[in-house]
Amino acid sequence: MTDIVVVSNRGPVSYRLEAGRPVASSASGGLAGTLRPLLAGSGTTWVAATIGEGDRLAAREGLVEADGIRVVPVDTEPAIFQMAYEVISNGTLWFCHHHLFDLARRPRFDWHWHEAWAGFRRYNRAFANAVIEEAPDGATVLVQDYHLSLLGSMLAEARPDLSSVHFLHTPFGEPDMVGVLPTAAAGELLAGLAGFGACGFHTERWASAFARCYDQPELAAAAGTDAAPATFVAPLGPAPEALAAGAVGPATVAASERLAEAVAGRRLIVRVDRIELSKNLLRGFWAFEELVYPSRESLAEYIGYRSEVEHAVARINERFGTPEWTPILFEAADDYPRSLAGLAAYDVLLVNPVRDGMNMVAKEGPLLNRRDGVVVLSRLAGAWDELSEAAIGVNPFDITGTAEALEVALLMAPEERARRAAHLIRAISARTASDWLDDQLRAAARP
Ligand code: F6P
């Protein structure tokens, strides 16, 4: 593994400042949390950004270390990082690939945005330079996610000896959505990705959307090529041992006890999500509201997604709550043991993103659940492709349809629940996180 270089925005370890000194905490959740245990002790090089002041100080003092992984920090100026991470990666590419643009008003590609795009290019260049300097001869370079879309062409030009692949953990925008980006930027994006030996996706749907971008004459002209790079499909699977260990930890046991007390023997619909637009929390809560009572008032226009979510929860609880029953137990703080406790205890798991690369909650839930719980799953999540035979599918935009699906799930006969739960476990157990890593290495090794 010493001739493998992993490249991602967030690395295996992050540092916070305590009394002016950097203190390490290991990555949890997400891509970095998945990769770190797979690479521990391997001597693999991992190139990652310095994200806050703690990371920057640790990098300057040469302290960065993670479980026998050789971490190479890329220390870009905070202003460049902010433009690359917030304005372009999270504010533009995330919206493009998840089809979240509110096209009547946003995006706005003004001078500020174009300056940020230049910052994104500099951030990608800084990563490319680190890989160019650090990668051993003929190394395999595994680049992760949309933040680093431009790296392919930069590496191909300077280090043709490397075998590089890009793996995208989100969907890829359909060509019309990629065409919303300023044409030169869309071209640069597609040219950057075309420089990789292969580009990987969680499902065939995202791979196909990507390849079809090169069939659009304007996009191909801007990219300078109509030849899409090779693609491969490698669905990410969960890490069952780590999940099982987390499920029996003392913090999870305590969270389970608190949850059981709050639920008091009622049936439980669970969702575990970041508060983020693609996760479609609002429509999930509105569907719950229709399920409880079949009519609904409209809400104020979009102000801030989180405050809208909080408002929806408060309103529904106010409307239907009794002294003995709080309909929605909404917990905004990130608390992994509590998430595990919820996943173990659900009768129904609601996963309704408007579009999602994979969605690991849909895969981890059934492995942890102890009640033959039913999964209600958006057909626009990548996980749907593997779980469609045993989950109940929903169109994530259809609130009434989602409410009906929740009702079907709650009323399902025990034998049918058990049959579906067993099917889900079989489908999910067919692949683990390490199969996904092996697929990337195989794709990189192809001539
Ligand atoms: O879920 C998609 C994803 O890109 C993951 O691969 C990654 O861990 C995460 O989103 C990025 O989140 P953050 O911006 O918090 O690093």
Side-chain angles (χ1 to χ4, degrees):
M1 299 279 256
T2 49
D3 58 354
I4 296 175
V5 180
V6 169
V7 192
S8 67
N9 175 61
R10 214 176 269 280
V13 60
S14 67
Y15 292 83
R16 58 179 191 284
L17 286 181
E18 266 179 29
R21 298 300 310 146
V23 178
S25 56
S26 54
S28 71
L31 156 75
T34 302
L35 269 172
R36 178 174 167 152
L38 294 177
L39 300 175
S42 64
T44 300
T45 300
W46 189 332
V47 180
T50 54
I51 293 183
E53 276 316 305
D55 281 2
R56 286 196 184 93
L57 188 57
R60 256 176 263 136
E61 296 188 359
L63 295 176
V64 185
E65 202 286 317
D67 280 355
I69 298 169
R70 186 175 158 259
V71 185
V72 174
V74 178
D75 198 4
T76 49
E77 291 158 45
I80 297 294
F81 182 80
Q82 196 267 345
M83 289 192 264
Y85 180 66
E86 276 166 25
V87 182
I88 303 300
S89 300
N90 294 345
T92 306
L93 296 179
W94 183 274
F95 278 64
C96 175
H97 292 325
H98 289 90
H99 295 184
L100 290 172
F101 287 141
D102 172 11
L103 289 177
R105 279 166 291 174
R106 290 203 163 72
R108 296 177 192 166
F109 299 124
D110 52 11
W111 68 268
H112 169 73
W113 186 89
H114 285 276
E115 196 174 82
W117 183 265
F120 180 66
R121 190 187 295 127
R122 275 179 63 183
Y123 159 95
N124 273 258
R125 172 53 65 193
F127 271 81
N129 289 344
V131 176
I132 290 164
E133 272 168 39
E134 300 286 342
D137 269 0
T140 296
V141 184
L142 307 180
V143 179
Q144 308 294 308
D145 257 335
Y146 44 94
H147 318 87
L148 298 163
S149 309
L150 306 185
L151 228 61
S153 49
M154 296 175 180
L155 294 180
E157 198 182 297
R159 288 287 306 268
D161 59 301
L162 302 175
S163 305
S164 68
V165 298
H166 185 271
F167 196 92
L168 187 67
H169 292 266
T170 65
F172 199 87
E174 286 290 322
D176 282 354
M177 211 47 80
V178 174
V180 169
L181 300 176
T183 308
E188 201 173 334
L189 183 78
L190 295 175
L193 290 165
F196 288 102
C199 290
F201 301 88
H202 285 307
T203 79
E204 184 50 45
R205 281 187 279 172
W206 317 144
S208 146
F210 170 64
R212 280 182 284 109
C213 286
Y214 294 84
D215 297 337
Q216 293 275 315
E218 301 79 37
L219 292 177
T225 177
D226 60 2
T231 60
F232 64 100
V233 173
L236 176 60
E241 302 81 19
L243 272 183
V248 296
T252 307
V253 172
S256 295
E257 282 163 11
R258 284 196 298 276
L259 184 63
E261 202 173 301
V263 171
R266 292 185 189 87
R267 277 179 302 165
L268 180 63
I269 301 173
V270 166
R271 70 175 307 144
V272 176
D273 282 307
R274 252 206 302 224
I275 303 178
E276 186 271 303
L277 284 93
S278 73
K279 301 300 183 192
N280 206 19
L281 284 93
L282 282 175
R283 288 196 191 84
F285 289 133
W286 293 336
F288 175 75
E289 186 178 25
E290 275 208 19
L291 174 73
V292 183
Y293 188 86
S295 90
R296 171 170 75 72
E297 300 131 39
S298 58
L299 271 181
E301 223 211 355
Y302 175 89
I303 306 165
Y305 195 64
R306 182 177 175 136
S307 71
E308 276 194 89
V309 167
E310 286 167 352
H311 178 78
V313 169
R315 192 175 56 78
I316 294 167
N317 282 344
E318 169 84 6
R319 188 168 179 201
F320 300 112
T322 65
E324 297 77 40
W325 183 46
T326 306
I328 300 176
L329 302 169
F330 177 72
E331 312 266 6
D334 187 7
D335 182 340
Y336 185 61
R338 192 181 54 208
S339 302
L340 295 180
L343 292 175
Y346 67 79
D347 292 291
V348 178
L349 177 66
L350 176 61
V351 182
N352 67 326
V354 294
R355 195 168 158 88
D356 207 333
M358 170 54 79
N359 196 296
M360 290 308 288
V361 172
K363 288 188 161 183
E364 292 172 351
L367 294 189
L368 289 164
N369 188 255
R370 293 196 295 269
R371 298 177 59 84
D372 287 342
V374 182
V375 176
V376 172
L377 179 59
S378 164
R379 294 190 197 96
L380 298 184
W384 174 251
D385 296 29
E386 290 166 89
L387 307 182
S388 61
E389 284 178 30
I392 299 182
V394 286
N395 164 353
F397 304 104
D398 181 356
I399 293 163
T400 304
T402 304
E404 285 164 1
L406 291 174
E407 185 173 31
V408 167
L410 284 168
L411 298 179
M412 192 176 282
E415 311 74 56
E416 177 65 4
R417 287 167 62 97
R419 188 191 70 74
R420 284 177 184 253
H423 191 127
L424 286 171
I425 291 173
R426 269 198 310 280
I428 294 163
S429 307
R431 279 180 67 84
T432 63
S434 89
D435 296 322
W436 163 77
L437 181 58
D438 290 345
D439 284 347
Q440 285 181 76
L441 296 173
R442 258 194 298 276
R446 262 176 233 136

